[in-house]
Amino acid sequence: MYDIIKLRSGSEPVLEYLEGSKAKTDRFMERFYGYTLDHEAASGIERHAADAVVFVFSAEWCPDCYRNVPVLALIHDATGLEVRVFGHIMRDAKSTTRRWAVPPSPPEVEELNVAKIPYIVVLSSEGEKLGEIIENPPPGMTLERALLAILEP
């Protein structure tokens, strides 16, 4: 079980993260405005929005983050599903044992054993891990469909 309150306090809402990332890259916003959401899958997600929270680990330098974090923001907008971001992840180039530099990366990268980003973890409102998506949704699935598969197993 994870402490949802603690995770919320160390993260930021997905729309705030996208807004703050504009100064570093415009790729997040290009994807946000250029993506067409699967509304059927979004309707399914909306049925579970009050029962789950999504946390994602992201960085402005990460191409898979460019593709997926804006879609999570669109899902949040369409469904009300809470999506929170641990952003600005940095690699630890000086270490042979640690993947992420903490700080500036948030300490939660170690708590949740983040190996690759974006790391998208779906938790119940009580803090139980329901599922995860690492880097990208499974082949042939949209992010919306992959989240729906976690929420409706």
Side-chain angles (χ1 to χ4, degrees):
M1 295 288 273
Y2 293 95
D3 183 342
I4 295 284
I5 294 170
K6 181 179 176 245
L7 291 172
R8 279 186 179 124
S9 71
S11 60
E12 62 186 307
V14 66
L15 293 173
E16 286 181 23
Y17 174 73
L18 289 183
E19 184 65 30
S21 296
K22 280 183 186 178
K24 296 180 181 179
T25 180
D26 56 359
R27 291 182 177 173
F28 284 103
M29 298 314 291
E30 288 172 7
R31 177 74 164 171
F32 182 81
Y33 290 115
Y35 186 83
T36 303
L37 195 65
D38 177 341
H39 291 287
E40 182 182 325
S43 293
I45 292 169
E46 188 173 20
R47 290 192 296 271
H48 302 281
D51 303 322
V53 181
V54 173
F55 292 94
V56 59
F57 291 81
S58 178
E60 291 80 6
W61 51 263
C62 171
D64 291 328
C65 295
Y66 302 158
R67 283 189 287 281
N68 293 300
V69 175
V71 176
L72 288 171
L74 292 168
I75 292 168
H76 163 75
D77 269 353
T79 68
L81 178 67
E82 184 178 1
V83 178
R84 301 196 58 93
V85 181
F86 290 96
H88 321 296
I89 307 296
M90 296 298 294
R91 293 185 189 274
D92 191 342
K94 296 179 181 177
S95 176
T96 58
T97 58
R98 287 179 26 165
R99 179 176 294 265
W100 310 113
V102 177
S105 301
E108 289 84 359
V109 295
E110 293 172 345
E111 180 183 339
L112 277 82
N113 296 316
V114 175
K116 297 180 179 183
I117 60 171
Y119 175 67
I120 302 164
V121 62
V122 182
L123 303 179
S124 73
S125 53
E126 293 82 34
E128 177 186 351
K129 184 177 175 180
L130 301 175
E132 65 187 12
I133 300 167
I134 300 169
E135 292 186 303
N136 291 294
M141 289 184 89
T142 63
L143 186 54
E144 305 94 282
R145 291 283 171 189
L147 282 174
L148 185 57
I150 291 170
L151 295 169
E152 290 184 348

